């Protein structure tokens, strides 16, 4: 049996770490630059419910606060009760005066784009509604 | 005048094993996550809204992309509304989601700003039929249009 002598210990192999550190930093830099390109995203969290049209009743009949997102000949509009809004701030301001506990329903017609539908949900949130429900119209 | 012993070896002997372990683990982590992110998130022009900051830390789960021309993409494949509904039913019945009811399963819908709302309505109707009662709509907070 052979024991390690003091001289053996002194002969321990040594590695040049420079190339490994180079490669590690290169990888690190690569990932930092590539992951930084991804855009930050946020989210809106509406409930969803189907439009119920049974027994001659419309969804809006039982829902006290409904924004309808419609498309007219002059462009998309938001309809709240009998009033029509074309601007977001005016809609948000009108929503602020409503009772919050009942929640808000956003009924979106097939005509407008997703941008207008999302804006209505955001207006509800901005006005202070905790419960915003998206109703996809048929 | 000479003091002490002559220096034997000034090279440090470092145990490289933990460093190599960590480097490889980091490499595998970045490779897998970068690939997943690329597969699940299509390049879309999201609605410019501030969103709800407090809920944005939730896990992605099922990510549904709706492109400007109305195409529905899940992962890297285009799906129909029927296929999407089947996918959502499968996910909602997953033991992790089923344990606390389907209300805990909230898919992320990434719809393009210019996509027809009719298509988003179709997606949400399919999800609702699958038992999903809430979704998350992705927005781009960097171009917030709140004042328009």
């Amino acid at each position: 049996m052979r024991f390690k002598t003091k001289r053996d210990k002194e002969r321990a192999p040594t590695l040049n770490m420079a190339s490994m550190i180079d490669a590690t930093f290169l990888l690190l830099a690569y990932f930092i630059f590539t992951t930084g390109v991804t855009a930050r995203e946020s989210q809106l969290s509406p409930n969803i419910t189907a439009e119920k049209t049974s027994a001659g009743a419309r969804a809006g009949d039982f829902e006290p606060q409904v924004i309808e997102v419609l498309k007219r000949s002059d462009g998309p509009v938001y309809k709240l009760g009998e009033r029509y809004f074309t601007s977001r701030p005016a809609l948000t301001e009108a929503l602020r005066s409503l009772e919050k506990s009942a929640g808000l329903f956003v009924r979106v017609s097939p005509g407008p784009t997703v941008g207008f539908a999302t804006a209505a949900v955001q207006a509800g949130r901005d006005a202070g509604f905790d419960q915003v429900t998206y109703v996809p119209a048929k | 005048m000479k003091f002490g012993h002559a220096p034997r070896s000034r090279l440090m002997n470092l145990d490289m094993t933990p460093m190599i372990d960590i480097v490889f683990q980091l490499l595998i982590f970045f490779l897998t996550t970068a690939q997943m992110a690329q597969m699940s998130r299509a390049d879309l022009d999201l609605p410019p809204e501030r969103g709800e900051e407090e809920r944005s830390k939730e896990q992605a789960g099922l990510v549904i992309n709706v492109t400007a021309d109305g195409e529905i993409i899940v992962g890297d494949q285009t799906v129909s509304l029927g296929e999407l509904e089947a996918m959502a039913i499968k996910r909602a019945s997953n033991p992790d989601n089923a344990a606390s009811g389907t209300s805990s399963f909230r898919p992320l819908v990434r719809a393009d700003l210019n996509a027809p709302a009719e298509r988003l309505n179709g997606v949400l109707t399919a999800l609702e039929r699958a038992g999903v009662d809430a979704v998350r709509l992705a927005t781009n907070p960097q171009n917030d249009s709140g004042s328009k």
Side-chain angles (χ1 to χ4, degrees), chain B residues 93-117:
Chain B
S93 61
N94 187 0
D96 293 341
N97 296 316
S100 53
T102 52
S103 58
S104 64
F105 173 55
R106 296 194 308 162
L108 175 64
V109 181
R110 299 179 72 250
D112 194 285
L113 167 68
N114 300 309

mmCIF file with all atom_site columns, all heavy atoms in Angstrom, chain B residues 93-117:
data_model
loop_
_atom_site.group_PDB
_atom_site.id
_atom_site.type_symbol
_atom_site.label_atom_id
_atom_site.label_alt_id
_atom_site.label_comp_id
_atom_site.label_asym_id
_atom_site.label_entity_id
_atom_site.label_seq_id
_atom_site.pdbx_PDB_ins_code
_atom_site.Cartn_x
_atom_site.Cartn_y
_atom_site.Cartn_z
_atom_site.occupancy
_atom_site.B_iso_or_equiv
_atom_site.pdbx_formal_charge
_atom_site.auth_seq_id
_atom_site.auth_comp_id
_atom_site.auth_asym_id
_atom_site.auth_atom_id
_atom_site.pdbx_PDB_model_num
ATOM 1   N N   . SER B 1 93  ? -59.712 19.674 -15.570 1.00 0.00 ? 93  SER B N   1
ATOM 2   C CA  . SER B 1 93  ? -59.901 18.430 -14.813 1.00 0.00 ? 93  SER B CA  1
ATOM 3   C C   . SER B 1 93  ? -58.583 17.886 -14.270 1.00 0.00 ? 93  SER B C   1
ATOM 4   O O   . SER B 1 93  ? -58.560 16.838 -13.625 1.00 0.00 ? 93  SER B O   1
ATOM 5   C CB  . SER B 1 93  ? -60.559 17.374 -15.703 1.00 0.00 ? 93  SER B CB  1
ATOM 6   O OG  . SER B 1 93  ? -59.719 17.105 -16.801 1.00 0.00 ? 93  SER B OG  1
ATOM 7   N N   . ASN B 1 94  ? -57.495 18.596 -14.512 1.00 0.00 ? 94  ASN B N   1
ATOM 8   C CA  . ASN B 1 94  ? -56.194 18.243 -13.956 1.00 0.00 ? 94  ASN B CA  1
ATOM 9   C C   . ASN B 1 94  ? -56.292 18.243 -12.422 1.00 0.00 ? 94  ASN B C   1
ATOM 10  O O   . ASN B 1 94  ? -56.874 19.162 -11.870 1.00 0.00 ? 94  ASN B O   1
ATOM 11  C CB  . ASN B 1 94  ? -55.189 19.298 -14.438 1.00 0.00 ? 94  ASN B CB  1
ATOM 12  C CG  . ASN B 1 94  ? -53.764 18.939 -14.063 1.00 0.00 ? 94  ASN B CG  1
ATOM 13  O OD1 . ASN B 1 94  ? -53.513 17.919 -13.446 1.00 0.00 ? 94  ASN B OD1 1
ATOM 14  N ND2 . ASN B 1 94  ? -52.851 19.796 -14.445 1.00 0.00 ? 94  ASN B ND2 1
ATOM 15  N N   . PRO B 1 95  ? -55.780 17.215 -11.722 1.00 0.00 ? 95  PRO B N   1
ATOM 16  C CA  . PRO B 1 95  ? -55.930 17.148 -10.258 1.00 0.00 ? 95  PRO B CA  1
ATOM 17  C C   . PRO B 1 95  ? -55.505 18.430 -9.537  1.00 0.00 ? 95  PRO B C   1
ATOM 18  O O   . PRO B 1 95  ? -56.128 18.819 -8.550  1.00 0.00 ? 95  PRO B O   1
ATOM 19  C CB  . PRO B 1 95  ? -54.997 15.993 -9.866  1.00 0.00 ? 95  PRO B CB  1
ATOM 20  C CG  . PRO B 1 95  ? -54.910 15.144 -11.072 1.00 0.00 ? 95  PRO B CG  1
ATOM 21  C CD  . PRO B 1 95  ? -55.075 16.045 -12.248 1.00 0.00 ? 95  PRO B CD  1
ATOM 22  N N   . ASP B 1 96  ? -54.494 19.116 -10.042 1.00 0.00 ? 96  ASP B N   1
ATOM 23  C CA  . ASP B 1 96  ? -54.025 20.352 -9.386  1.00 0.00 ? 96  ASP B CA  1
ATOM 24  C C   . ASP B 1 96  ? -55.108 21.432 -9.402  1.00 0.00 ? 96  ASP B C   1
ATOM 25  O O   . ASP B 1 96  ? -55.270 22.188 -8.460  1.00 0.00 ? 96  ASP B O   1
ATOM 26  C CB  . ASP B 1 96  ? -52.780 20.901 -10.094 1.00 0.00 ? 96  ASP B CB  1
ATOM 27  C CG  . ASP B 1 96  ? -51.604 19.971 -9.904  1.00 0.00 ? 96  ASP B CG  1
ATOM 28  O OD1 . ASP B 1 96  ? -51.653 19.146 -8.965  1.00 0.00 ? 96  ASP B OD1 1
ATOM 29  O OD2 . ASP B 1 96  ? -50.636 20.069 -10.693 1.00 0.00 ? 96  ASP B OD2 1
ATOM 30  N N   . ASN B 1 97  ? -55.845 21.503 -10.525 1.00 0.00 ? 97  ASN B N   1
ATOM 31  C CA  . ASN B 1 97  ? -56.903 22.509 -10.650 1.00 0.00 ? 97  ASN B CA  1
ATOM 32  C C   . ASN B 1 97  ? -58.215 22.012 -10.056 1.00 0.00 ? 97  ASN B C   1
ATOM 33  O O   . ASN B 1 97  ? -58.967 22.772 -9.455  1.00 0.00 ? 97  ASN B O   1
ATOM 34  C CB  . ASN B 1 97  ? -57.126 22.868 -12.118 1.00 0.00 ? 97  ASN B CB  1
ATOM 35  C CG  . ASN B 1 97  ? -55.902 23.510 -12.718 1.00 0.00 ? 97  ASN B CG  1
ATOM 36  O OD1 . ASN B 1 97  ? -55.290 24.369 -12.113 1.00 0.00 ? 97  ASN B OD1 1
ATOM 37  N ND2 . ASN B 1 97  ? -55.526 23.062 -13.901 1.00 0.00 ? 97  ASN B ND2 1
ATOM 38  N N   . ALA B 1 98  ? -58.486 20.714 -10.241 1.00 0.00 ? 98  ALA B N   1
ATOM 39  C CA  . ALA B 1 98  ? -59.755 20.159 -9.786  1.00 0.00 ? 98  ALA B CA  1
ATOM 40  C C   . ALA B 1 98  ? -59.867 20.154 -8.262  1.00 0.00 ? 98  ALA B C   1
ATOM 41  O O   . ALA B 1 98  ? -60.958 20.246 -7.712  1.00 0.00 ? 98  ALA B O   1
ATOM 42  C CB  . ALA B 1 98  ? -59.925 18.742 -10.320 1.00 0.00 ? 98  ALA B CB  1
ATOM 43  N N   . ALA B 1 99  ? -58.729 20.073 -7.572  1.00 0.00 ? 99  ALA B N   1
ATOM 44  C CA  . ALA B 1 99  ? -58.744 20.010 -6.107  1.00 0.00 ? 99  ALA B CA  1
ATOM 45  C C   . ALA B 1 99  ? -59.449 21.218 -5.502  1.00 0.00 ? 99  ALA B C   1
ATOM 46  O O   . ALA B 1 99  ? -60.195 21.096 -4.540  1.00 0.00 ? 99  ALA B O   1
ATOM 47  C CB  . ALA B 1 99  ? -57.324 19.904 -5.581  1.00 0.00 ? 99  ALA B CB  1
ATOM 48  N N   . SER B 1 100 ? -59.226 22.382 -6.092  1.00 0.00 ? 100 SER B N   1
ATOM 49  C CA  . SER B 1 100 ? -59.845 23.586 -5.535  1.00 0.00 ? 100 SER B CA  1
ATOM 50  C C   . SER B 1 100 ? -60.937 24.135 -6.453  1.00 0.00 ? 100 SER B C   1
ATOM 51  O O   . SER B 1 100 ? -61.304 25.286 -6.356  1.00 0.00 ? 100 SER B O   1
ATOM 52  C CB  . SER B 1 100 ? -58.766 24.641 -5.305  1.00 0.00 ? 100 SER B CB  1
ATOM 53  O OG  . SER B 1 100 ? -58.033 24.830 -6.486  1.00 0.00 ? 100 SER B OG  1
ATOM 54  N N   . GLY B 1 101 ? -61.420 23.288 -7.372  1.00 0.00 ? 101 GLY B N   1
ATOM 55  C CA  . GLY B 1 101 ? -62.476 23.742 -8.279  1.00 0.00 ? 101 GLY B CA  1
ATOM 56  C C   . GLY B 1 101 ? -61.885 24.421 -9.491  1.00 0.00 ? 101 GLY B C   1
ATOM 57  O O   . GLY B 1 101 ? -60.742 24.854 -9.484  1.00 0.00 ? 101 GLY B O   1
ATOM 58  N N   . THR B 1 102 ? -62.687 24.563 -10.555 1.00 0.00 ? 102 THR B N   1
ATOM 59  C CA  . THR B 1 102 ? -62.172 25.149 -11.785 1.00 0.00 ? 102 THR B CA  1
ATOM 60  C C   . THR B 1 102 ? -61.915 26.640 -11.653 1.00 0.00 ? 102 THR B C   1
ATOM 61  O O   . THR B 1 102 ? -61.265 27.226 -12.498 1.00 0.00 ? 102 THR B O   1
ATOM 62  C CB  . THR B 1 102 ? -63.165 24.921 -12.946 1.00 0.00 ? 102 THR B CB  1
ATOM 63  O OG1 . THR B 1 102 ? -64.434 25.378 -12.528 1.00 0.00 ? 102 THR B OG1 1
ATOM 64  C CG2 . THR B 1 102 ? -63.230 23.464 -13.339 1.00 0.00 ? 102 THR B CG2 1
ATOM 65  N N   . SER B 1 103 ? -62.430 27.249 -10.569 1.00 0.00 ? 103 SER B N   1
ATOM 66  C CA  . SER B 1 103 ? -62.256 28.688 -10.431 1.00 0.00 ? 103 SER B CA  1
ATOM 67  C C   . SER B 1 103 ? -60.780 29.073 -10.287 1.00 0.00 ? 103 SER B C   1
ATOM 68  O O   . SER B 1 103 ? -60.408 30.197 -10.551 1.00 0.00 ? 103 SER B O   1
ATOM 69  C CB  . SER B 1 103 ? -63.047 29.197 -9.241  1.00 0.00 ? 103 SER B CB  1
ATOM 70  O OG  . SER B 1 103 ? -62.631 28.534 -8.065  1.00 0.00 ? 103 SER B OG  1
ATOM 71  N N   . SER B 1 104 ? -59.941 28.112 -9.875  1.00 0.00 ? 104 SER B N   1
ATOM 72  C CA  . SER B 1 104 ? -58.526 28.422 -9.711  1.00 0.00 ? 104 SER B CA  1
ATOM 73  C C   . SER B 1 104 ? -57.795 28.383 -11.061 1.00 0.00 ? 104 SER B C   1
ATOM 74  O O   . SER B 1 104 ? -56.671 28.836 -11.170 1.00 0.00 ? 104 SER B O   1
ATOM 75  C CB  . SER B 1 104 ? -57.871 27.441 -8.750  1.00 0.00 ? 104 SER B CB  1
ATOM 76  O OG  . SER B 1 104 ? -57.909 26.152 -9.312  1.00 0.00 ? 104 SER B OG  1
ATOM 77  N N   . PHE B 1 105 ? -58.437 27.822 -12.061 1.00 0.00 ? 105 PHE B N   1
ATOM 78  C CA  . PHE B 1 105 ? -57.804 27.696 -13.377 1.00 0.00 ? 105 PHE B CA  1
ATOM 79  C C   . PHE B 1 105 ? -58.205 28.896 -14.231 1.00 0.00 ? 105 PHE B C   1
ATOM 80  O O   . PHE B 1 105 ? -59.354 29.008 -14.640 1.00 0.00 ? 105 PHE B O   1
ATOM 81  C CB  . PHE B 1 105 ? -58.266 26.377 -14.018 1.00 0.00 ? 105 PHE B CB  1
ATOM 82  C CG  . PHE B 1 105 ? -57.807 26.212 -15.431 1.00 0.00 ? 105 PHE B CG  1
ATOM 83  C CD1 . PHE B 1 105 ? -56.467 26.297 -15.767 1.00 0.00 ? 105 PHE B CD1 1
ATOM 84  C CD2 . PHE B 1 105 ? -58.717 25.957 -16.439 1.00 0.00 ? 105 PHE B CD2 1
ATOM 85  C CE1 . PHE B 1 105 ? -56.044 26.143 -17.077 1.00 0.00 ? 105 PHE B CE1 1
ATOM 86  C CE2 . PHE B 1 105 ? -58.309 25.799 -17.752 1.00 0.00 ? 105 PHE B CE2 1
ATOM 87  C CZ  . PHE B 1 105 ? -56.972 25.884 -18.063 1.00 0.00 ? 105 PHE B CZ  1
ATOM 88  N N   . ARG B 1 106 ? -57.246 29.779 -14.445 1.00 0.00 ? 106 ARG B N   1
ATOM 89  C CA  . ARG B 1 106 ? -57.536 30.989 -15.218 1.00 0.00 ? 106 ARG B CA  1
ATOM 90  C C   . ARG B 1 106 ? -56.536 31.098 -16.355 1.00 0.00 ? 106 ARG B C   1
ATOM 91  O O   . ARG B 1 106 ? -55.403 31.541 -16.156 1.00 0.00 ? 106 ARG B O   1
ATOM 92  C CB  . ARG B 1 106 ? -57.455 32.218 -14.324 1.00 0.00 ? 106 ARG B CB  1
ATOM 93  C CG  . ARG B 1 106 ? -58.522 32.189 -13.224 1.00 0.00 ? 106 ARG B CG  1
ATOM 94  C CD  . ARG B 1 106 ? -58.686 33.499 -12.544 1.00 0.00 ? 106 ARG B CD  1
ATOM 95  N NE  . ARG B 1 106 ? -57.422 34.046 -12.074 1.00 0.00 ? 106 ARG B NE  1
ATOM 96  C CZ  . ARG B 1 106 ? -57.251 35.304 -11.753 1.00 0.00 ? 106 ARG B CZ  1
ATOM 97  N NH1 . ARG B 1 106 ? -58.238 36.147 -11.877 1.00 0.00 ? 106 ARG B NH1 1
ATOM 98  N NH2 . ARG B 1 106 ? -56.099 35.722 -11.306 1.00 0.00 ? 106 ARG B NH2 1
ATOM 99  N N   . PRO B 1 107 ? -56.933 30.676 -17.549 1.00 0.00 ? 107 PRO B N   1
ATOM 100 C CA  . PRO B 1 107 ? -56.008 30.727 -18.681 1.00 0.00 ? 107 PRO B CA  1
ATOM 101 C C   . PRO B 1 107 ? -55.620 32.179 -19.021 1.00 0.00 ? 107 PRO B C   1
ATOM 102 O O   . PRO B 1 107 ? -56.383 33.110 -18.743 1.00 0.00 ? 107 PRO B O   1
ATOM 103 C CB  . PRO B 1 107 ? -56.806 30.115 -19.832 1.00 0.00 ? 107 PRO B CB  1
ATOM 104 C CG  . PRO B 1 107 ? -57.981 29.456 -19.219 1.00 0.00 ? 107 PRO B CG  1
ATOM 105 C CD  . PRO B 1 107 ? -58.249 30.161 -17.938 1.00 0.00 ? 107 PRO B CD  1
ATOM 106 N N   . LEU B 1 108 ? -54.452 32.310 -19.604 1.00 0.00 ? 108 LEU B N   1
ATOM 107 C CA  . LEU B 1 108 ? -53.985 33.625 -20.047 1.00 0.00 ? 108 LEU B CA  1
ATOM 108 C C   . LEU B 1 108 ? -54.316 33.776 -21.524 1.00 0.00 ? 108 LEU B C   1
ATOM 109 O O   . LEU B 1 108 ? -53.870 32.972 -22.346 1.00 0.00 ? 108 LEU B O   1
ATOM 110 C CB  . LEU B 1 108 ? -52.473 33.746 -19.825 1.00 0.00 ? 108 LEU B CB  1
ATOM 111 C CG  . LEU B 1 108 ? -51.797 35.016 -20.338 1.00 0.00 ? 108 LEU B CG  1
ATOM 112 C CD1 . LEU B 1 108 ? -52.316 36.247 -19.601 1.00 0.00 ? 108 LEU B CD1 1
ATOM 113 C CD2 . LEU B 1 108 ? -50.286 34.936 -20.177 1.00 0.00 ? 108 LEU B CD2 1
ATOM 114 N N   . VAL B 1 109 ? -55.126 34.781 -21.858 1.00 0.00 ? 109 VAL B N   1
ATOM 115 C CA  . VAL B 1 109 ? -55.504 35.021 -23.253 1.00 0.00 ? 109 VAL B CA  1
ATOM 116 C C   . VAL B 1 109 ? -54.720 36.226 -23.751 1.00 0.00 ? 109 VAL B C   1
ATOM 117 O O   . VAL B 1 109 ? -54.885 37.337 -23.236 1.00 0.00 ? 109 VAL B O   1
ATOM 118 C CB  . VAL B 1 109 ? -57.030 35.252 -23.396 1.00 0.00 ? 109 VAL B CB  1
ATOM 119 C CG1 . VAL B 1 109 ? -57.395 35.482 -24.858 1.00 0.00 ? 109 VAL B CG1 1
ATOM 120 C CG2 . VAL B 1 109 ? -57.808 34.084 -22.824 1.00 0.00 ? 109 VAL B CG2 1
ATOM 121 N N   . ARG B 1 110 ? -53.862 36.009 -24.735 1.00 0.00 ? 110 ARG B N   1
ATOM 122 C CA  . ARG B 1 110 ? -53.053 37.082 -25.307 1.00 0.00 ? 110 ARG B CA  1
ATOM 123 C C   . ARG B 1 110 ? -53.645 37.397 -26.687 1.00 0.00 ? 110 ARG B C   1
ATOM 124 O O   . ARG B 1 110 ? -53.342 36.713 -27.660 1.00 0.00 ? 110 ARG B O   1
ATOM 125 C CB  . ARG B 1 110 ? -51.591 36.666 -25.425 1.00 0.00 ? 110 ARG B CB  1
ATOM 126 C CG  . ARG B 1 110 ? -50.948 36.327 -24.087 1.00 0.00 ? 110 ARG B CG  1
ATOM 127 C CD  . ARG B 1 110 ? -49.508 35.901 -24.240 1.00 0.00 ? 110 ARG B CD  1
ATOM 128 N NE  . ARG B 1 110 ? -48.626 37.008 -24.578 1.00 0.00 ? 110 ARG B NE  1
ATOM 129 C CZ  . ARG B 1 110 ? -48.038 37.181 -25.740 1.00 0.00 ? 110 ARG B CZ  1
ATOM 130 N NH1 . ARG B 1 110 ? -48.236 36.330 -26.726 1.00 0.00 ? 110 ARG B NH1 1
ATOM 131 N NH2 . ARG B 1 110 ? -47.250 38.206 -25.960 1.00 0.00 ? 110 ARG B NH2 1
ATOM 132 N N   . ALA B 1 111 ? -54.510 38.393 -26.721 1.00 0.00 ? 111 ALA B N   1
ATOM 133 C CA  . ALA B 1 111 ? -55.184 38.727 -27.976 1.00 0.00 ? 111 ALA B CA  1
ATOM 134 C C   . ALA B 1 111 ? -54.589 40.001 -28.563 1.00 0.00 ? 111 ALA B C   1
ATOM 135 O O   . ALA B 1 111 ? -54.346 40.970 -27.833 1.00 0.00 ? 111 ALA B O   1
ATOM 136 C CB  . ALA B 1 111 ? -56.672 38.911 -27.736 1.00 0.00 ? 111 ALA B CB  1
ATOM 137 N N   . ASP B 1 112 ? -54.369 39.986 -29.861 1.00 0.00 ? 112 ASP B N   1
ATOM 138 C CA  . ASP B 1 112 ? -53.815 41.157 -30.535 1.00 0.00 ? 112 ASP B CA  1
ATOM 139 C C   . ASP B 1 112 ? -54.813 42.312 -30.482 1.00 0.00 ? 112 ASP B C   1
ATOM 140 O O   . ASP B 1 112 ? -56.034 42.109 -30.578 1.00 0.00 ? 112 ASP B O   1
ATOM 141 C CB  . ASP B 1 112 ? -53.501 40.814 -31.987 1.00 0.00 ? 112 ASP B CB  1
ATOM 142 C CG  . ASP B 1 112 ? -52.623 41.851 -32.651 1.00 0.00 ? 112 ASP B CG  1
ATOM 143 O OD1 . ASP B 1 112 ? -53.143 42.955 -32.981 1.00 0.00 ? 112 ASP B OD1 1
ATOM 144 O OD2 . ASP B 1 112 ? -51.427 41.579 -32.831 1.00 0.00 ? 112 ASP B OD2 1
ATOM 145 N N   . LEU B 1 113 ? -54.260 43.490 -30.323 1.00 0.00 ? 113 LEU B N   1
ATOM 146 C CA  . LEU B 1 113 ? -55.042 44.721 -30.268 1.00 0.00 ? 113 LEU B CA  1
ATOM 147 C C   . LEU B 1 113 ? -56.015 44.857 -31.441 1.00 0.00 ? 113 LEU B C   1
ATOM 148 O O   . LEU B 1 113 ? -57.144 45.322 -31.297 1.00 0.00 ? 113 LEU B O   1
ATOM 149 C CB  . LEU B 1 113 ? -54.024 45.875 -30.273 1.00 0.00 ? 113 LEU B CB  1
ATOM 150 C CG  . LEU B 1 113 ? -54.414 47.297 -30.497 1.00 0.00 ? 113 LEU B CG  1
ATOM 151 C CD1 . LEU B 1 113 ? -55.222 47.787 -29.321 1.00 0.00 ? 113 LEU B CD1 1
ATOM 152 C CD2 . LEU B 1 113 ? -53.172 48.145 -30.671 1.00 0.00 ? 113 LEU B CD2 1
ATOM 153 N N   . ASN B 1 114 ? -55.592 44.431 -32.614 1.00 0.00 ? 114 ASN B N   1
ATOM 154 C CA  . ASN B 1 114 ? -56.402 44.597 -33.823 1.00 0.00 ? 114 ASN B CA  1
ATOM 155 C C   . ASN B 1 114 ? -57.192 43.353 -34.218 1.00 0.00 ? 114 ASN B C   1
ATOM 156 O O   . ASN B 1 114 ? -57.804 43.334 -35.283 1.00 0.00 ? 114 ASN B O   1
ATOM 157 C CB  . ASN B 1 114 ? -55.492 45.019 -34.986 1.00 0.00 ? 114 ASN B CB  1
ATOM 158 C CG  . ASN B 1 114 ? -54.799 46.332 -34.693 1.00 0.00 ? 114 ASN B CG  1
ATOM 159 O OD1 . ASN B 1 114 ? -55.440 47.301 -34.317 1.00 0.00 ? 114 ASN B OD1 1
ATOM 160 N ND2 . ASN B 1 114 ? -53.478 46.357 -34.816 1.00 0.00 ? 114 ASN B ND2 1
ATOM 161 N N   . ALA B 1 115 ? -57.149 42.344 -33.385 1.00 0.00 ? 115 ALA B N   1
ATOM 162 C CA  . ALA B 1 115 ? -57.924 41.133 -33.689 1.00 0.00 ? 115 ALA B CA  1
ATOM 163 C C   . ALA B 1 115 ? -59.413 41.444 -33.547 1.00 0.00 ? 115 ALA B C   1
ATOM 164 O O   . ALA B 1 115 ? -59.794 42.266 -32.711 1.00 0.00 ? 115 ALA B O   1
ATOM 165 C CB  . ALA B 1 115 ? -57.538 40.016 -32.730 1.00 0.00 ? 115 ALA B CB  1
ATOM 166 N N   . PRO B 1 116 ? -60.259 40.805 -34.343 1.00 0.00 ? 116 PRO B N   1
ATOM 167 C CA  . PRO B 1 116 ? -61.702 41.065 -34.199 1.00 0.00 ? 116 PRO B CA  1
ATOM 168 C C   . PRO B 1 116 ? -62.208 40.534 -32.863 1.00 0.00 ? 116 PRO B C   1
ATOM 169 O O   . PRO B 1 116 ? -61.850 39.432 -32.451 1.00 0.00 ? 116 PRO B O   1
ATOM 170 C CB  . PRO B 1 116 ? -62.328 40.304 -35.369 1.00 0.00 ? 116 PRO B CB  1
ATOM 171 C CG  . PRO B 1 116 ? -61.274 39.411 -35.901 1.00 0.00 ? 116 PRO B CG  1
ATOM 172 C CD  . PRO B 1 116 ? -59.949 39.892 -35.438 1.00 0.00 ? 116 PRO B CD  1
ATOM 173 N N   . ALA B 1 117 ? -63.034 41.334 -32.188 1.00 0.00 ? 117 ALA B N   1
ATOM 174 C CA  . ALA B 1 117 ? -63.582 40.919 -30.890 1.00 0.00 ? 117 ALA B CA  1
ATOM 175 C C   . ALA B 1 117 ? -64.421 39.651 -31.039 1.00 0.00 ? 117 ALA B C   1
ATOM 176 O O   . ALA B 1 117 ? -64.557 38.886 -30.086 1.00 0.00 ? 117 ALA B O   1
ATOM 177 C CB  . ALA B 1 117 ? -64.421 42.047 -30.304 1.00 0.00 ? 117 ALA B CB  1
#
